[in-house]
Amino acid sequence: MSHHVCHIEFNSTDLERSQAFYAQIFDWKFAAYGPEMVVFGTDAGHIGGLIKTDKVGAGDSPSVWFEVESVEETLGKALAAGGAVRSPKSPVPGVGWSGAFTDPDGNAVGLVEYSAER
């Protein structure tokens, strides 16, 4: 597995405004993924999402998510290497599983484990 970037996420205080902004710049297409998230991409495929938040703090966004074979195994490797679990393995409907860790400097790294049904 290549462990490539599979999702980039931007925090947004106004999802409609963010969609209009990025559509003008990149011509992305958007689709609602629940009330608090909009995913975006091109005809070539998925790029990422906009997450509704009350406030965007410096350094909070964007977040980068890597495809892995096993979220649990990768979180274990991160812990063993001196990182910390930021969010444990949790289900993502229609996608599979996600989780996140921080490296020794506090940088957040997201993980995505796709389900076979996808």
Side-chain angles (χ1 to χ4, degrees), residues 13-78:
T13 58
D14 184 328
L15 292 175
E16 289 182 16
R17 181 189 66 211
S18 294
Q19 288 175 75
F21 177 81
Y22 286 110
Q24 282 186 311
I25 298 169
F26 298 122
D27 198 30
W28 288 340
K29 293 170 177 46
F30 299 87
Y33 188 80
E36 303 292 315
M37 183 177 192
V38 174
V39 293
F40 60 86
T42 66
D43 290 336
H46 176 83
I47 297 172
L50 304 170
I51 290 287
K52 177 79 170 103
T53 186
D54 292 332
K55 178 181 163 189
V56 178
D60 289 345
S61 177
S63 59
V64 179
W65 298 75
F66 293 88
E67 181 179 357
V68 296
E69 292 173 351
S70 168
V71 168
E72 287 179 3
E73 181 180 317
T74 306
L75 289 174
K77 288 179 181 180

Side-chain angles (χ1 to χ4, degrees), residues 68-103:
V68 296
E69 292 173 351
S70 168
V71 168
E72 287 179 3
E73 181 180 317
T74 306
L75 289 174
K77 288 179 181 180
L79 282 171
V85 173
R86 182 179 175 122
S87 59
K89 182 179 178 179
S90 61
V92 180
V95 175
W97 301 90
S98 71
F101 66 86
T102 54
D103 70 11

